[in-house]
Amino acid sequence: MIGIVGAMQVEIEGLVQKIKKPKIKIIGALSFVSGVIGASKVVVVKCGIGKVNSATATSVMLMAFKDIKLVINLGVAGGLDNSLFQGDFVVGSSCIQHDFDLTVEGLKMGQLAGCESREFLCCNVAISKMQMVLDGLDFRYKIGTIVSGDQFIACDQKTAWLRSEFEALACDMESASIAQVCSSFNMPFISVRSISDGATDDAFLDFAQFAVIASERSISAVEKFLLNNNSKI
């Protein structure tokens, strides 16, 4: 089974509609939809926006559905690389919480206490499979670091800092917290994000206009991944 986490309804709705023989499991305020897409057993949840929501939903999902072998986070993101345009993709090779700050203790920005690295690494096998999917769909993409924080980034200065400090390609509000939970469960994880805006001063206007389009592209990529999945990741 593959667990799929998206923050907003627009990021998961098109995928949920593809599930055959769906079953709904309600746990607290979370609604998990399970079933089959192609040959892949899946469970999909809308976690809500932000790190606490996404970490909570992922933890509950992994405890409630014991046969999950891979977690995919899909959705939209702000682009931090000048060569990325709206609708392009960033596939996370690693994820970092950009707003976690224990530098006063001598740690790097984004590094959690007790962690040797500030990066939570994504699954190389899943990355390779997603590359083949995106190549087949003729979607432009880059592979690299995604940073997450409880902030909608809409500031040229902050964008420049995220690029400089983390060499990040994209920013969102969930990937790194989901990656942290998956790491604690020893669960393979991948984040696949379509660019909705440039995280610049006018980012929110761009986000409002392109979030639906970017979400649809993200859904199409994950659906293709599921349809092509013939292995036990």
Side-chain angles (χ1 to χ4, degrees):
M1 175 176 276
I2 296 178
I4 300 167
V5 183
M8 302 181 294
Q9 189 65 28
V10 69
E11 293 175 316
I12 66 163
E13 187 170 4
L15 196 64
V16 169
Q17 293 172 355
K18 302 287 185 179
I19 295 176
K20 294 182 179 179
K21 298 180 180 179
K23 296 181 180 179
I24 298 175
K25 185 171 187 176
I26 306 295
I27 305 176
L30 297 167
S31 178
F32 297 88
V33 185
S34 62
V36 177
I37 296 178
S40 300
K41 291 175 62 179
V42 300
V43 56
V44 181
V45 63
K46 183 187 79 172
C47 64
I49 296 171
K51 294 194 299 178
V52 172
N53 283 330
S54 55
T56 299
T58 305
S59 298
V60 172
M61 183 176 70
L62 291 175
M63 288 186 286
F65 297 86
K66 300 293 187 180
D67 54 345
I68 291 176
K69 304 299 183 185
L70 171 72
V71 172
I72 299 175
N73 176 223
L74 82 170
V76 302
L80 302 175
D81 187 289
N82 291 331
S83 66
L84 290 168
F85 301 96
Q86 287 159 332
D88 290 346
F89 280 80
V90 173
V91 180
S93 58
S94 64
C95 300
I96 302 172
Q97 295 183 46
H98 67 73
D99 59 351
F100 195 96
D101 188 353
L102 282 179
T103 54
V104 68
E105 296 187 10
L107 301 180
K108 292 183 178 180
M109 190 68 189
Q111 184 178 2
L112 278 65
C115 294
E116 293 183 0
S117 171
R118 63 184 178 180
E119 296 180 316
F120 292 98
L121 300 180
C122 298
C123 174
N124 286 328
V125 174
I127 291 171
S128 296
K129 288 179 176 292
M130 186 57 69
Q131 279 185 271
M132 290 188 287
V133 166
L134 296 174
D135 286 336
L137 292 170
D138 200 26
F139 286 168
R140 282 169 36 92
Y141 66 91
K142 283 192 170 185
I143 298 172
T145 298
I146 298 174
V147 290
S148 306
D150 286 320
Q151 306 164 4
F152 183 93
I153 304 300
C155 173
D156 292 343
Q157 185 176 1
K158 188 63 175 284
T159 295
W161 177 75
L162 293 173
R163 282 198 301 260
S164 174
E165 173 66 29
F166 303 103
E167 297 183 356
L169 297 180
C171 58
D172 64 26
M173 299 176 70
E174 296 86 25
S175 290
S177 48
I178 298 172
Q180 180 183 349
V181 171
C182 287
S183 177
S184 69
F185 278 81
N186 197 29
M187 175 65 61
F189 166 76
I190 186 174
S191 181
V192 184
R193 295 280 183 156
S194 181
I195 301 302
S196 59
D197 59 85
T200 53
D201 291 341
D202 57 356
F204 187 73
L205 294 176
D206 290 339
F207 174 82
Q209 184 176 0
F210 289 100
V212 173
I213 296 172
S215 294
E216 289 173 349
R217 288 170 70 85
S218 176
I219 289 167
S220 66
V222 172
E223 180 189 3
K224 190 72 171 179
F225 180 97
L226 297 171
L227 292 173
N228 292 346
N229 180 41
N230 297 315
S231 63
K232 301 177 182 179
I233 295 179

